Amino acid sequence: AQRVTQPEKLLSVFKGAPVELKCNYSYSGSPELFWYVQYSRQRLQLLLRHISRESIKGFTADLNKGETSFHLKKPFAQEEDSAMYYCAPPGQGNLIFGKGTKLSVKP
Amino acid sequence: KAGVTQTPRYLIKTRGQQVTLSCSPISGHRSVSWYQQTPGQGLQFLFEYFSETQRNKGNFPGRFSGRQFSNSRSEMNVSTLELGDSALYLCASNPQESYNEQFFGPGTRLTVL
């Protein structure tokens, strides 16, 4: 069964510091991984997908098949980045969400 | 296009009752998925419907059921409510037959007393 692990429940950094949100997955097929974000009082939304190789709001994520990881990175965190972040590989017609990491960016 | 809408937004029920939640997907989207979000378990997949057929199902008891109508609107029902069913229930729609980006609604907050 596909699984995803986000080892940190809470990550707290200061504004301007680099941030890395970890995600490890086990997936039997060719993985297509996503990062979703949920800002306070907003709906869950797609942040980025590995297949597009784009940078959204300064965030990037590289799929490392050898380490089965899909860590989310940003070189300089901003206060508005504070949110819940979920790593999600697809399952059978659904997303398999990790438990999420709460990112808190302090001024 | 209007986003995914869910009604009601908030609901309070007592143990043993049943509840029906509604979801209207983005126009043109034929796939609708339901998720349960709780602080302890995170986001868990309930089921997915495509063209009025349940295509996939998560590991939830039979008290949780759903359906989809010809206009792609979907409902989920929970019977014999338990305290542990208190959660945010999220609906997501997806435009294609195969998996793609999912667009989430604001959720229905269910509180079971």
Side-chain angles (χ1 to χ4, degrees):
Chain A
Q2 295 93 332
R3 293 190 181 192
V4 60
T5 304
Q6 293 181 252
E8 305 127 334
K9 291 181 77 172
L10 174 64
L11 187 61
S12 186
V13 301
F14 285 101
K15 177 183 173 182
V19 62
E20 182 180 52
L21 298 147
K22 292 183 169 54
C23 171
N24 290 92
Y25 67 91
S26 65
Y27 192 77
S28 56
S30 179
E32 181 182 1
L33 286 150
F34 301 81
W35 276 98
Y36 276 76
V37 62
Q38 192 171 30
Y39 300 102
S40 178
R41 286 186 284 277
Q42 293 188 30
R43 60 184 69 189
L44 195 60
Q45 59 187 285
L46 178 69
L47 179 62
L48 58 81
R49 66 183 81 186
H50 95 276
I51 202 166
S52 62
R53 295 183 170 275
E54 57 189 347
S55 172
I56 304 291
K57 298 184 178 182
F59 284 97
T60 58
D62 289 321
L63 179 63
N64 186 322
K65 293 185 180 180
E67 296 180 359
T68 60
S69 68
F70 188 52
H71 303 329
L72 184 68
K73 300 176 184 179
K74 185 170 183 177
F76 307 103
Q78 303 299 313
E79 288 181 70
E80 55 265 29
D81 296 329
S82 296
M84 280 294 295
Y85 290 81
Y86 295 93
C87 179
Q92 297 287 336
N94 60 286
L95 289 167
I96 302 169
F97 285 94
K99 292 288 178 74
T101 297
K102 183 175 182 178
L103 175 64
S104 175
V105 182
K106 300 179 180 179
Chain B
K1 284 185 179 178
V4 177
T5 58
Q6 292 185 246
T7 57
R9 293 293 310 279
Y10 302 91
L11 210 46
I12 299 176
K13 292 286 188 178
T14 56
R15 279 181 299 174
Q17 287 187 308
Q18 74 164 20
V19 67
T20 299
L21 312 182
S22 182
C23 170
S24 292
I26 292 172
S27 177
H29 287 195
R30 296 165 64 190
S31 169
V32 173
S33 298
W34 288 89
Y35 295 84
Q36 183 195 64
Q37 186 177 27
T38 59
Q41 298 300 316
L43 282 153
Q44 294 183 286
F45 171 67
L46 281 154
F47 28 66
E48 184 231 358
Y49 286 86
F50 181 82
S51 292
E52 301 179 65
T53 301
Q54 187 181 87
R55 197 161 61 165
N56 296 289
K57 190 176 188 302
N59 293 323
F60 277 81
R63 300 185 297 108
F64 292 82
S65 62
R67 59 178 175 169
Q68 187 179 34
F69 303 95
S70 58
N71 61 358
S72 293
R73 190 177 69 85
S74 177
E75 290 181 346
M76 68 163 281
N77 184 78
V78 189
S79 62
T80 320
L81 283 166
E82 301 177 359
L83 295 178
D85 296 333
S86 294
L88 182 67
Y89 290 88
L90 296 174
C91 167
S93 73
N94 171 356
Q96 299 181 6
E97 281 194 32
S98 59
Y99 178 75
N100 204 332
E101 174 186 354
Q102 295 201 336
F103 296 82
F104 284 85
T108 293
R109 172 73 63 187
L110 172 64
T111 302
V112 182
L113 303 175

